[in-house]
Amino acid sequence: MAVARTRSVAVIGVTGRTVEVEADVGNGLAGIHLIGLPDTALSEARDRVRSATVNSSYPWPDARIIVSLFPASLPKRGSQFDLAVAVAILSAAGVIPAERIAELFFLGELGLDGRIRPVRGVLPSILGAAKHGDVTVVVPSANSAEAGLVPNVKVIPVAHLRQLVEWLRKGEDTPEPRVEEFAEPSRCATDPTVDLADVVGQPVARRALEVCAAGGHNLWMLGPPGTGKTMLAERLPTLLPDLELDHALEVTAIHSVAGVLPPNAPMMSRPPFVAPHHTATSAAIIGGGSAIVRPGAVSLAHRGVLFLDEAPEFPRHVLDALRQPLESGRVTVSRSAGSVTFPARFMLVLAANPCPCAQAEDQGETCRCTPTIRRRYLGRLSGPLLDRIDMKVTVVRSSRRELLADRQFVETSKTVAERVLVARERAAKRLTGTPWRTNAEIPSSLLHSDYRPSNEAMKPMTSCLDSGTLTARGLDRVVRVAWTLADLADKDAPEQDETNAALGFWLGVQP
């Protein structure tokens, strides 16, 4: 009996960190000891590993067993280390040749009967392992489709501990998973029943939606119930192009860590749409947790859309917590065990009624809200938060003519998405050589140097700056929207028409 070593991966946030698993089987009081900052789920691995080994018809060493997880200072959480611990112990006991497991990575949770169960975070784990070059990773069969998304990594899917051990002992060809066959990684398609043509009227809101999709901008829609605010927001993803490969892997990794990755669509190729309820807590929106920090709605909406319906009904501290990720594109959750950073670059769409009773006076209805109640209601959307909104639109009720008109002449999502794609390609070409893909991502320093509009185009904003109605942050957002309007108009740079329109959208004044 001696020391055996193998490798696994710990997921910190959405980043995989290599963990070396060592097992020492020697003389002493019989028992198994796990060291290296394991959490409760990992500490319970000793019982799962022992039962799985015995029920797989392998002898359990009647000796002192010490399992060390290196680096010892890195907290280890979850049950994905079960498989690595089991093969390390069996190797130290002489059942498996030590050289067969030294260069492999093992991920998987063990059932008491030896079955290998799926785990969360397989994609970020394999991305972390892939940093070591051409590697081989053993994963549960149920995670094989997700694991196969990473190029230049050999994936070994297994369904049972005995199947894995016999393969390691005999060194034969890759074992076949003893479960149903999995389909090739599929593309998560947009719901075909949702189309922008379902929204009648609302020309200003439809135009704002197109601009948001083309430039990645934030949007606030204000209007009474029944005007189509929710319908418009739900159709925004249908205007967005498919995610690029690196972005798709980012999004898939986040959803894998959160445990919400669709089993039939391991690769999320479409921008996500997340719409939390207004009773959601700060931890649900931003991310959090006591033992294991999970990504929140802002991270699940990464590279997609975060829609807050009835936005003033959200607690004010929850809304204000969005300010930092809107600026930086990431969120850091700090707990006693350490800090975890998640990506959070999303388009924020807010929808709100003009007052709590939501009765429109222009339709002959009686609003019972006093001016104080209205101010208090909309005041939950703080000035600093609204300052980070690129476009503000007032949505009014459609007329009878608009509602009863022939809808075959209404533009569909496909038609608008084609214009959005052309505008995005134009922006991407202009941003070649930079890490940014959309106008909303351009930093302030470049907006006022390389991408500053002409003095003539900047004239509409000078008076607003002098009067104080336009802030420095607002100026940056108006310039970004102006560039998007220029891309949609197939212009090389924003002109006064584009800056006027962008300023009107930011101030909430539309023709």
Side-chain angles (χ1 to χ4, degrees), residues 430-443:
R430 184 173 63 252
L431 297 171
T432 300
T434 71
W436 309 293
R437 315 288 178 87
T438 61
N439 293 318
E441 300 175 36
I442 303 176

Side-chain angles (χ1 to χ4, degrees), residues 186-237:
S186 58
R187 298 170 66 85
C188 183
T190 304
D191 186 357
T193 63
V194 175
D195 196 282
L196 191 60
D198 301 332
V199 182
V200 296
Q202 309 300 351
V204 175
R206 290 170 63 95
R207 175 61 172 171
L209 219 63
E210 180 179 347
V211 176
C212 288
H217 305 292
N218 304 319
L219 174 65
W220 179 32
M221 293 182 287
L222 178 67
T227 53
K229 301 187 298 295
T230 302
M231 289 182 66
L232 286 162
E234 290 175 344
R235 281 145 184 82
L236 179 55

